[in-house]
Each structure stands twice: as C-alpha cells, then as structure tokens.
Amino acid sequence: MEVEWFELLPEQCPPEDAQQCDGYYYRIANGNPAQSVDFFSQRRLQPDKVFKGLGVDECITRAVSLFSDRKEAEKRLKLPKFRNTNIALVELKPKDGMIKKTFGTAHYSWWRTKDFDVSQAKVI
C-alpha cells in the first residue's frame, strides 16, 4: 500500500527510526476548533525560510511538532509566539503517518498522511 503524505517529503523521510503513529498527542493550534492549517509543517507555513539548529534538516522541517505530555505543551503557551493559541488533543493511528521522538522532553516530530482526520482534534 502506497502512503500518501500530506506534503512532499525528501528522500529518506520519514527517517528509518520513525514509528507508526499510535497514541494521544498534544498540538499547539490557532483554531478553535482546530483546522487543517493547525497541522502544517514549518516548511509549509514558511516555504522560503532557512531553518537552522542542531538536528534540523529538511525532513524535520516538514514534520509537525507534537507533545506527548500536556504540561510540556502548556509551557509553550507562555512564549510570545504562542500567545492566543490553544492546545488540541489528537489520537493518532497508524494510518495517520509516522512519528519520532525529537528535541527534548515530550517533543515528537510527526509526518502526516492525507488520511489524518482533522475533525477528531479536540481543543482542550
């Protein structure tokens, strides 16, 4: 079965050590209710930006940041960048893509498929 990714991914992406999605995660979202744009990668949101940092490559820029711990997501709400945002809870299943633990406590990178149903995201 061919996976249909939500956006164009570079070769070797998702990485070999990514796992099938399975579980509940938290996402910082602008919408209430959450909308598809709340689950776009940084590359899709900022196509011309040069992203820098340890461990940041083109594959990572095309992933969606999620948190496995609600408190870790809530900490981000204190940053000016995330003022007036919400936290959405999503249940990810294997059909929704691949996920990998990255960048510190409770942070995950998620490569979304076209099968992900945004309407199941619940703002909490």
Side-chain angles (χ1 to χ4, degrees):
M1 182 180 93
E2 184 71 22
V3 174
E4 283 192 74
W5 299 108
F6 186 71
E7 63 184 273
L8 184 64
L9 299 179
E11 285 193 39
Q12 308 301 315
C13 187
E16 285 186 25
D17 57 348
Q19 314 246 328
Q20 280 191 321
C21 292
D22 187 22
Y24 289 89
Y25 295 89
Y26 300 91
R27 169 74 177 164
I28 297 171
N30 288 310
N32 185 3
Q35 300 172 7
S36 187
V37 69
D38 292 313
F39 297 93
F40 283 6
S41 71
Q42 288 299 306
R43 174 59 63 215
R44 182 140 183 195
L45 292 171
Q46 303 174 81
D48 299 322
K49 182 172 179 174
V50 175
F51 294 94
K52 297 178 181 179
L54 185 62
V56 176
D57 60 17
E58 195 56 29
C59 185
I60 288 291
T61 67
R62 292 173 188 263
V64 176
S65 290
L66 299 173
F67 297 91
S68 60
D69 181 75
R70 180 177 176 167
K71 287 187 171 136
E72 286 300 314
E74 288 172 346
K75 285 181 187 178
R76 302 323 188 269
L77 298 183
K78 295 175 184 165
L79 299 172
K81 175 181 178 181
F82 297 118
R83 192 165 286 132
N84 301 319
T85 59
N86 305 292
I87 296 176
L89 175 64
V90 294
E91 180 181 9
L92 298 182
K93 299 181 179 181
K95 70 171 182 59
D96 297 318
M98 302 291 286
I99 196 163
K100 178 182 176 180
K101 174 80 179 71
T102 53
F103 306 119
T105 307
H107 183 278
Y108 285 78
S109 295
W110 167 44
W111 294 273
R112 175 182 170 186
T113 66
K114 290 183 177 180
D115 289 337
F116 173 66
D117 179 8
V118 175
S119 70
Q120 60 91 8
K122 303 293 180 225
V123 171
I124 54 175

